[in-house]
Amino acid sequence: MAKDNNYVDQLKGMLPQYLDILGVSTKGPFKCLNPNHMDKTPSMSFDAKDGRHVHCFGCGAT
C-alpha cells in the first residue's frame, strides 16, 4: 500500500506542471470540476500554493 501512496503523491506533485502545459494558470486558487462527481459546473477549488490543496464544495472533502 505504501508504494501506491508514493505513486499518488508523485502524481499530485506533478499537477501544477500538467495544468501549466494545458494553459491553466495556477498562480492563484481556481475552481474546476470534481472528477469524483457527475457535476456540470465547477464544484471544487484547487489552490496551487503547495500544488496539492483541493476542496470539494459538494461533499466537503479536502
Side-chain angles (χ1 to χ4, degrees):
M1 188 70 152
K3 187 175 183 179
D4 290 338
N5 288 339
N6 188 35
Y7 181 70
V8 170
D9 286 341
Q10 287 177 329
L11 288 174
K12 287 179 182 179
M14 294 187 299
L15 185 57
Q17 181 181 8
Y18 174 73
L19 292 171
D20 187 51
I21 290 168
L22 294 177
V24 176
S25 174
T26 58
K27 301 266 187 241
F30 63 91
K31 293 179 182 174
C32 54
L33 295 174
N34 185 333
N36 294 319
H37 298 288
M38 298 294 292
D39 297 327
K40 294 184 180 173
T41 58
S43 64
M44 69 181 241
S45 65
F46 175 78
D47 191 348
K49 282 187 225 175
D50 63 6
R52 298 174 180 211
H53 184 84
V54 297
H55 176 74
C56 179
F57 304 117
C59 66
T62 298

